Every structure is written in C-alpha cells, then in structure tokens.
Amino acid sequence: MEVRRVQDLIRFSVEKMLKAPLFESPKYFCDLYCLKPGQDQRIHSHAESDKIYFVLQGQGLFHIAGEERQLESGEAVVARPGQDHGVRNASGEDLVLLVFMTPRP
Amino acid sequence: MEVRRVQDLIRFSVEKMLKAPLFESPKYFCDLYCLKPGQDQRIHSHAESDKIYFVLQGQGLFHIAGEERQLESGEAVVARPGQDHGVRNASGEDLVLLVFMTPRP
C-alpha cells in the first residue's frame, strides 16, 4: 500500500521553498510545499492546469489572479488555468502546504 | 478567490458517509468524505483514475488492492487505476478525509 506520512516528509531549506513529492502519475502531481518564514513560490501560471493548495500547517499569503489573501491551517484555494498564482510565507512560523496539480504542465 | 474552509464544510449523516465538494473541473474531483463511526465507502475500483485519500481527522481502515491498513490524521494513500479500494470508519470517533480523484471517472 502506497502510504505517505506527512510528518516524515516535511523538510525545509534555508535557501528556498522545498517540494516533497507524495504521489504522482502522468496526469497529476501531489506534493508538499515547505516554506520557512520569508520564503515564497513566485507568481506564475499554467495554461491548462488547476492547482489546489491546502494549508496543513501555518499561514500563507496567497496571490491568485491579482487578489491576495492570508489562509491558515484547514483552508484551501484553487488557481484555475491561466490564473497567476503564488504563495509567500509572510508569517513568523513554518508553512506546510498540500498541493495537487492536474494535468501536469 | 475560490477559498474553502474545511471546518465550514464538514457535515455528517446518520444514514451514510457524506461527500462535500471542495473543487472540481472536468478533469478532477476534490471532496471531503465525512464518516461517522461504522460508516464506509464500499470497495470499488475505477479503470483509469487515481484516488488519493488524505486523513484530516480521525482514523480510517483503508482497503486497497486486497491490503488493509489503519491510517490516521496526517497520513495519505493512493488507489491506482484498477485497484479495488474502500474505507471504513472502524473507530469510535468521526472521520474526515480529503479526497482527490483524477481523471473523473
């Protein structure tokens, strides 16, 4: 059985946000994003993919299609195809996100 | 911004497991599954889809491709295309799962 335990996969770098793969297929990615305070995923977009962010731990400042909003543990947001999106850890605590993207870009 | 707050969407029925939609597109579903003690999603399979279960709250007894395993909050598992899969709340507490399936069956 392909089981993943999030607490075993969380890892941070002082240099940049780290991604830890949970599951994937030719059709999707499911990753953890781990951000120390001040780290970010820069704003970008995918022409055909949806990306779902689910906040597992901490608080993230999300930018989606020109709108900014702080989301916390238990909140989720989607970036639709073509929408600019990014996230920044503007808090003083570590941030861990569960991220699904389909289709793969 | 399409934000969902899990705590606002969790709902249970005494009759059966309830699904609450979070996000979807023609390519995927992302839902909450809410199971009272004793409730289950019966074993079934999808020929072409991956289904990822992420345990948000409680403990679930997962059956995947003939193997059974109890998973708890912070653990995730995937059922690959064609693999029999199901989940049962064999605990005494409510169970809440975040579920991602792509492609849509």
Side-chain angles (χ1 to χ4, degrees), chain A residues 6-76:
Chain A
V6 162
Q7 286 304 321
D8 296 341
L9 297 172
I10 292 173
R11 61 201 179 103
F12 295 94
S13 161
V14 293
E15 292 175 10
K16 60 175 185 174
M17 177 191 94
L18 285 190
K19 294 184 190 181
L22 262 71
F23 306 108
E24 65 179 288
S25 87
K27 295 182 174 153
Y28 71 90
F29 288 115
C30 176
D31 297 315
L32 293 181
Y33 288 6
C34 304
L35 298 90
K36 299 292 283 180
Q39 294 182 340
D40 68 344
Q41 181 181 45
R42 267 177 283 183
I43 293 168
H44 62 292
S45 69
H46 305 286
E48 296 183 7
S49 304
D50 277 33
K51 184 184 285 176
I52 297 170
Y53 296 100
F54 185 89
V55 183
L56 289 175
Q57 179 187 320
Q59 295 191 327
L61 184 61
F62 290 83
H63 173 112
I64 304 212
E67 198 182 337
E68 269 200 339
R69 191 158 155 190
Q70 180 93 343
L71 301 179
E72 61 181 23
S73 177
E75 292 184 306

Side-chain angles (χ1 to χ4, degrees), chain B residues 65-104:
Chain B
E67 200 182 337
E68 270 200 341
R69 188 155 156 194
Q70 181 92 344
L71 301 178
E72 60 181 23
S73 179
E75 292 185 307
V77 66
V78 65
R80 299 294 185 178
Q83 289 187 323
D84 283 339
H85 60 280
V87 56
R88 187 159 61 90
N89 184 353
S91 78
E93 307 293 330
D94 293 343
L95 172 63
V96 181
L97 307 171
L98 181 64
V99 181
F100 180 77
M101 180 163 52
T102 190
R104 286 165 67 137

Side-chain angles (χ1 to χ4, degrees), chain B residues 15-68:
Chain B
E15 291 176 10
K16 61 173 185 176
M17 178 191 93
L18 285 190
K19 294 184 189 180
L22 261 70
F23 305 109
E24 65 178 288
S25 86
K27 297 182 173 154
Y28 71 91
F29 289 114
C30 179
D31 297 315
L32 293 180
Y33 289 6
C34 304
L35 298 88
K36 298 294 284 182
Q39 295 181 340
D40 69 344
Q41 181 180 45
R42 267 177 284 185
I43 294 167
H44 63 293
S45 68
H46 306 286
E48 297 184 7
S49 304
D50 277 31
K51 184 184 284 176
I52 297 170
Y53 296 99
F54 184 89
V55 183
L56 290 175
Q57 179 188 319
Q59 296 191 327
L61 184 62
F62 290 83
H63 173 112
I64 305 216
E67 200 182 337
E68 270 200 341

Side-chain angles (χ1 to χ4, degrees), chain A residues 72-90:
Chain A
E72 61 181 23
S73 177
E75 292 184 306
V77 67
V78 64
R80 299 293 186 177
Q83 288 188 324
D84 284 338
H85 60 281
V87 57
R88 187 160 62 89
N89 183 352

